[in-house]
Amino acid sequence: MYRNKLTRRFLALSAALSLALCQSAFAGETVALNLDDAMQRAFQTNPTVSIAQYELDSARASYNAARQSRGVSISASHDSNRGGNNDAPKKITNTHSNTLTAALPIFTGGKLSGTIKQAKANYQYNEVGVQRTYNEMRSTVTNGYFKMLQADNMQKLSAESVTRLEDHLKNVQAQYDVGVVAKVDVLRSQVELANAKQTLIQAENSYQVAESNMNKIVGLPMDTNLKLDNLLVYNAYDKNMDDCLAYAAEHRPELMQAKYNMDAAKGALMVARSGHMPQVSASATQALGSDYWLGDNRTKWYAGINVKMNVFDTGVTLSKIHGAEADLKKAQETYRDTVDSVNLDVRSNYLGLREAEKRISTTKLAVEQADEDYRIAQLRYMSGVGTNTDVLDAQVALTQAKTNYTQALYDYNTSKTALETSIGVPMTNPVKVTVAKAEKKAAKTEAKAEKSAAKIEEAK
């Protein structure tokens, strides 16, 4: 089993190292990237995922150590001494002794049980934490992906605006050359074109920044050119508010972690209360000694029961109990606050999703109307009926309508990602977190803790 773990880790490290070494091959090149590819690259290269896994490994080791502390411990010692009597300085003796002791805890007043409970809760907390890290990484990758797509759309819209204004300026210039329109129409068109070019420059810069950010997320060189699949589309979301809230109550990692924090606090309280209880252990000792090395001539053995109890410690144990009780109340209040925060998060993201959904339909219609309005304004101006201002205003309205439509699509998709993250939709990862099982384990642990606490109260 240990060898299998080492093999898996070696392969994971090899894959990460290979990916890091080949990054230079992508520098300045174009890389086609879909959302799934981006996810896998981020999972392999982002240190957040590795940190969460190492924290889980550490918590697992602590939990195993706590459980194994219930078993027998065996210790060995050796002493070699040389000494004499001050009244007879020439009489020097050597003593060598060996001791082998086996000890077994029999009753600890809840100290061992509480320690195991703490360690188990911490392990479960970190197990859910790995799932939470994958969910949050999914959100980071998706948001970065959509942000780059949105920046690309804005870049294209700005370029379209420049092209329309350039074509319009040619028409205005042609009419001015034959004396049909005034010089002011040419100047106004030139100013609008210059403003549109400035907007295009800003849009191109925003795209480059979004692309660099995406490269950072997936672990590619900053100057890599990315070609993304266009996912800024409308796909209806069929869950209602109640469905989302119910799903979040069962799957949101933060809620599970808050519950495990309460379990850990209950375990700490058991440890604190054990300070007033007797500590009973059994031991068996085999002792060997002689005046000569190795010290194995004379043998003795001992077996017995050791009982130790704190009689008076100036209130130290009582203070620890009060502190542990306060920590438990804090964990309970934190859980209650987490429930409210999760519900608020889900509601906000759900309402944001529905608001963006409504804007998609209205802005899509506005694009069609603005496009027709711009076409009519151009025809009227060419016929000498309309004004240059009408055309320029219609062009601005068309650009704004298209901008509003792409922004609505972007807001809808990012809100959908935020909603899925807020309700705890699990991202595929090596650790399978089953909330139902975790709930059953937590219930059993809590029942055992209540029985132990009742026994302690009776002992008092």
Side-chain angles (χ1 to χ4, degrees), residues 116-186:
I116 293 173
K117 185 180 180 68
Q118 278 185 286
K120 182 179 180 180
N122 186 49
Y123 168 67
Q124 292 171 320
Y125 178 96
N126 284 279
E127 186 178 26
V128 177
V130 173
Q131 178 70 72
R132 178 180 176 180
T133 300
Y134 273 84
N135 290 358
E136 292 175 349
M137 182 55 60
R138 184 259 310 275
S139 179
T140 299
V141 173
T142 306
N143 287 336
Y145 195 96
F146 287 155
K147 188 173 183 178
M148 183 177 166
L149 288 178
Q150 173 65 355
D152 185 41
N153 287 337
M154 296 305 299
Q155 182 179 235
K156 292 176 180 177
L157 287 177
S158 299
E160 288 178 7
S161 178
V162 169
T163 300
R164 283 195 299 268
L165 288 170
E166 287 177 340
D167 293 340
H168 177 65
L169 179 58
K170 291 177 182 178
N171 293 331
V172 174
Q173 185 67 49
Q175 294 195 61
Y176 172 74
D177 292 341
V178 296
V180 177
V181 298
K183 180 68 174 178
V184 66
D185 284 3
V186 177

Side-chain angles (χ1 to χ4, degrees), residues 349-394:
N349 290 320
Y350 183 86
L351 293 175
L353 174 76
R354 294 309 182 194
E355 181 259 342
E357 185 178 42
K358 294 176 182 177
R359 283 195 286 119
I360 289 175
S361 57
T362 56
T363 54
K364 185 177 181 180
L365 178 61
V367 169
E368 297 173 357
Q369 295 171 337
D371 188 59
E372 179 66 13
D373 180 51
Y374 178 70
R375 187 185 68 81
I376 293 173
Q378 278 186 312
L379 292 175
R380 287 172 57 84
Y381 182 74
M382 295 296 294
S383 302
V385 180
T387 65
N388 184 49
T389 301
D390 294 337
V391 177
L392 295 178
D393 289 346

Side-chain angles (χ1 to χ4, degrees), residues 186-351:
V186 177
L187 295 175
R188 174 68 189 281
S189 299
Q190 290 174 337
V191 170
E192 290 297 327
L193 177 59
N195 291 337
K197 287 182 177 179
Q198 180 177 343
T199 302
L200 175 58
I201 293 172
Q202 294 173 337
E204 290 173 342
N205 181 70
S206 297
Y207 174 79
Q208 292 175 358
V209 172
E211 187 177 47
S212 297
N213 179 64
M214 193 63 200
N215 281 325
K216 177 181 179 298
I217 292 173
V218 300
L220 288 172
M222 293 295 179
D223 58 347
T224 304
N225 299 316
L226 298 178
K227 183 179 180 181
L228 307 183
D229 290 345
N230 184 17
L231 298 177
L232 280 179
V233 294
Y234 170 68
N235 292 316
Y237 191 76
D238 56 355
K239 291 185 175 64
N240 57 36
M241 177 79 79
D242 292 336
D243 292 336
C244 292
L245 290 172
Y247 192 93
E250 295 183 1
H251 295 84
R252 182 69 179 260
E254 287 89 329
L255 290 175
M256 292 302 302
Q257 288 183 316
K259 288 182 179 179
Y260 292 138
N261 273 336
M262 287 194 296
D263 289 342
K266 291 176 182 177
L269 181 57
M270 291 172 64
V271 173
R273 286 174 172 169
S274 69
H276 282 321
M277 302 296 291
Q279 308 292 307
V280 183
S281 63
S283 64
T285 302
Q286 177 69 50
L288 302 91
S290 71
D291 297 337
Y292 305 97
W293 183 263
L294 288 171
D296 56 354
N297 291 340
R298 299 188 299 270
T299 62
K300 294 181 180 180
W301 64 270
Y302 309 92
I305 299 294
N306 177 269
V307 180
K308 182 173 65 175
M309 184 172 183
N310 176 28
V311 178
F312 179 72
D313 61 3
T314 67
V316 173
T317 299
L318 186 61
S319 296
K320 289 181 179 180
I321 293 174
H322 290 163
E325 289 174 342
D327 289 339
L328 176 57
K329 292 178 181 178
K330 174 185 174 183
Q332 292 170 340
E333 289 300 312
T334 299
Y335 173 75
R336 188 170 64 86
D337 182 63
T338 302
V339 171
D340 293 339
S341 297
V342 167
N343 287 337
L344 177 60
D345 193 24
V346 173
R347 288 179 181 276
S348 298
N349 290 320
Y350 183 86
L351 293 175

